[in-house]
Amino acid sequence: MEGIVGIIGVFILLIAIYILTVKYPILKNILWAAAFLRISAALIHFFLFTLPDGDLDAIKFEYHIWLFSKLSFVDYFNSFKTSDLALTFTWILSLIYRIFGRNPLIIQSVGMYVGLLSVILLFKISYILSKDLLKSKQSTWFFAVFPTVILYNALILREVYVMYFLLIVILNFVKWYQSKNIHFGFICLLFSLPLYYLHGSNIIITVLIFILFFFSSFNFFINRLKLEKFNLFHSLVIISTPLVTLYLFTILPGIKIPYLGKFDDIFTFSRILFQTKVTNFGGSVYPDWLSPKSPLHFFLLIIPRLGYLLFSPFIWDLRAINHLLGFVDGLLYLFVFYWIAKGILFEKHKQIITRILIILIPLLIVYSWGVGNFGTALRHRVKFIPVFIAISTIYVPKITLTKKSEVPKPNE
C-alpha cells in the first residue's frame, strides 16, 4: 500500500512537470531529462538500495516529518521551535503526511518538483546575466544532469530547498541591481528569511544583502536630491536602517549561528576551533594540517579550507571506492570555477558578479569551518553550485555538437 501511494505521488509529479513544460516550452527537453534522472534516483533509493547520504540525516528528517504529522493541530503549532531550525522544513512537510499518510516517496516527489523549479530559476538567471539563449540553455543542461544535484534532489534533505530559495534570492538580487527597482530588493530580502530557517548560518546572506541594499538606496537618494527630486521608498529604507540595525545588535548576542556560535564566540574563535575538532572524524577526514591550533591558524587556513570545501577529495585524499563520487564532483566544480576565475581575470568583468560573490564567499567561508571531512563538504557545497553555474554562463564558451551549415554562394 505504501508503494502504491508513493507511485500516485510520482504520477502527480509527472502532471506537474507537464504543466511546467507547457509554460516553459523552451525548456521542455531539459525539464523532462532532469525529471527522468531525479525520479529514477528516487525510485532506486525507495525500492532498491540506499543512495549515498540517504541514511542518517535523511532518515532522521523523515522520522520527524512523521512525528509532527501525528500531533494534534494545537500541539503541532506549539511544536514549532526556532531553537532547532534544522527541523523547520520537516515541520512544514509534515502537513503532507497528514493528508496522504506516511510515505517517504511523496516527500521525495515534493523535493524533486522543487528541484525542477530550480532548473527554471537557473535558466532565468543565466539568461539575464549572459543575454545569450544558447549559453543559458547549455548551463541549464549542465545543472539538470549534475550528479550530486540529482542525488540531493531525490533525498529527504534540506539541500534542494536551500538551492531553490538561494536561486530566488540571487534572481531578484540581479533584477534589483540592474533595474534599481526597490521592489526586487524587498523580495530579495524576504526570500532570504526561509534560507535562515533552513540553516542558521544563512543569516549572513540576509545581513550582507541588507548592507548592499542600504548603500545602494543611499546613493540613489543622494543622486535624486542633487536633481531636486524625492523618492519615498528609498527615503523609508534610509530612515528605517538605524532602527533595524539597533534591533539586530539587540538580538544578535542571543542568536547562535551554526559553526560560529554566539556573537561573542565569533571574536574569540572558540566555537570555530571546537567545530573543527568535533567534525574531524571518519574515513573521509581532512588532513591534520587543516585543523587550526590558534586564531592565527584560522586566518592562514581560510583559503585551504575553502579549497577543500569546494573541490575535495583531491587525488591524494582517495582512500576508498566511495570517495570517487566526491572526486568526480570536485572535478566538475573545478571546471565551473576555472571559467569563472578566467573570466574575472582576463575578460571584461561585470560588477554584478562581484556583488554576488560578496554575498556568497563569506557564507562559503563559514561552511568551510563547519565541516571536517570531504563527505560532508560534498553535501554542503551542492547548495551553491546552481548559482556558480549561472555565473559561469557569461564566461563558458558555446559548445556545439554540429558543424555550422554552409550557406550556398550565389550562382552556385
Side-chain angles (χ1 to χ4, degrees):
M1 183 64 183
E2 182 179 292
I4 294 175
V5 174
I7 294 299
I8 292 173
V10 173
F11 275 114
I12 295 173
L13 172 63
L14 291 173
I15 294 171
I17 295 168
Y18 174 75
I19 294 172
L20 287 179
T21 60
V22 172
K23 187 174 181 181
Y24 300 97
I26 195 172
L27 300 176
K28 179 180 178 180
N29 292 336
I30 301 176
L31 287 171
W32 280 122
F36 172 77
L37 293 171
R38 284 152 178 75
I39 292 172
S40 298
L43 292 177
I44 289 171
H45 178 72
F46 187 78
F47 289 108
L48 298 180
F49 56 83
T50 302
L51 294 176
D53 232 351
D55 51 4
L56 300 177
D57 280 353
I59 293 174
K60 181 190 76 172
F61 286 141
E62 192 279 331
Y63 178 70
H64 277 93
I65 293 172
W66 179 57
L67 287 181
F68 283 130
S69 70
K70 296 197 301 178
L71 297 175
S72 67
F73 273 106
V74 174
D75 292 335
Y76 168 73
F77 286 110
N78 290 333
S79 66
F80 180 78
K81 295 179 180 179
T82 56
S83 59
D84 196 353
L85 297 176
L87 299 179
T88 304
F89 87 109
T90 66
W91 186 82
I92 295 172
L93 289 175
S94 67
L95 294 172
I96 297 173
Y97 270 8
R98 288 182 180 273
I99 300 172
F100 295 99
R102 186 181 187 181
N103 191 292
L105 192 53
I106 291 181
I107 304 298
Q108 289 175 265
S109 297
V110 174
M112 288 185 284
Y113 182 71
V114 172
L116 293 173
L117 293 178
S118 297
V119 171
I120 296 171
L121 289 171
L122 182 135
F123 172 78
K124 290 182 177 181
I125 297 172
S126 298
Y127 185 71
I128 292 174
L129 290 175
S130 67
K131 307 297 182 186
D132 189 307
L133 182 60
L134 180 60
K135 291 177 70 173
S136 300
K137 291 183 69 174
Q138 180 177 287
S139 292
T140 309
W141 267 113
F142 185 55
F143 177 65
V145 301
F146 205 94
T148 48
V149 172
I150 295 170
L151 173 65
Y152 289 108
N153 280 192
L155 299 176
I156 304 175
L157 292 168
R158 291 174 288 177
E159 277 62 32
V160 63
Y161 304 102
V162 174
M163 283 187 272
Y164 173 70
F165 284 107
L166 183 58
L167 284 168
I168 292 179
V169 167
I170 297 300
L171 175 62
N172 284 280
F173 181 81
V174 172
K175 288 181 177 180
W176 164 62
Y177 182 83
Q178 293 186 348
S179 68
K180 303 304 178 185
N181 188 332
I182 201 168
H183 168 75
F184 294 120
F186 280 122
I187 294 177
C188 187
L189 283 170
L190 179 64
F191 278 96
S192 69
L193 295 179
L195 285 172
Y196 169 68
Y197 281 97
L198 284 164
H199 198 286
S201 297
N202 293 330
I203 195 174
I204 294 171
I205 290 181
T206 306
V207 173
L208 291 172
I209 290 175
F210 179 77
I211 292 171
L212 292 173
F213 191 43
F214 168 74
F215 282 109
S216 176
S217 295
F218 184 77
N219 290 333
F220 184 88
F221 177 77
I222 295 299
N223 291 333
R224 298 289 286 183
L225 278 183
K226 290 178 181 178
L227 298 173
E228 298 183 353
K229 294 182 180 180
F230 180 78
N231 186 281
L232 177 61
F233 290 109
H234 287 86
S235 302
L236 290 175
V237 170
I238 294 170
I239 294 172
S240 62
T241 296
L243 298 176
V244 174
T245 304
L246 180 62
Y247 174 72
L248 287 174
F249 274 101
T250 303
I251 65 170
L252 275 177
I255 293 179
K256 186 178 180 180
I257 302 175
Y259 311 146
L260 296 181
K262 292 188 177 181
F263 196 67
D264 294 338
D265 298 330
I266 297 174
F267 299 101
T268 61
F269 299 96
S270 58
R271 177 62 188 179
I272 295 174
L273 296 176
F274 171 77
Q275 185 72 23
T276 57
K277 292 180 181 179
V278 298
T279 58
N280 203 33
F281 67 91
S284 58
V285 65
Y286 281 175
D288 289 337
W289 62 270
L290 282 174
S291 298
K293 305 298 186 294
S294 68
L296 176 61
H297 286 168
F298 167 81
F299 292 103
L300 295 176
L301 291 174
I302 285 178
I303 300 301
R305 296 279 302 202
L306 196 56
Y308 259 80
L309 172 69
L310 293 172
F311 310 120
S312 66
F314 299 101
I315 194 166
W316 54 82
D317 295 314
L318 299 180
R319 295 186 290 272
I321 191 69
N322 61 344
H323 293 170
L324 289 176
L325 172 63
F327 179 67
V328 173
D329 188 66
L331 291 178
L332 292 174
Y333 277 76
L334 278 170
F335 172 79
V336 173
F337 276 84
Y338 166 78
W339 290 108
I340 294 175
K342 184 179 181 223
I344 291 175
L345 293 174
F346 301 110
E347 298 181 21
K348 186 177 180 181
H349 180 45
K350 294 193 174 185
Q351 287 188 346
I352 181 62
I353 304 302
T354 303
R355 300 299 188 275
I356 294 174
L357 293 177
I358 286 174
I359 294 172
L360 294 184
I361 289 179
L363 185 58
L364 280 168
I365 292 173
V366 171
Y367 273 110
S368 73
W369 288 103
V371 298
N373 61 80
F374 44 79
T376 310
L378 180 138
R379 176 174 160 186
H380 280 307
R381 70 191 181 205
V382 78
K383 301 176 175 75
F384 301 92
I385 192 58
V387 177
F388 288 120
I389 291 175
I391 292 174
S392 70
T393 305
I394 304 173
Y395 307 115
V396 174
K398 294 180 184 179
I399 300 174
T400 55
L401 300 178
T402 57
K403 292 183 179 180
K404 190 175 182 180
S405 59
E406 296 182 2
V407 180
K409 296 178 181 179
N411 303 324
E412 282 190 354

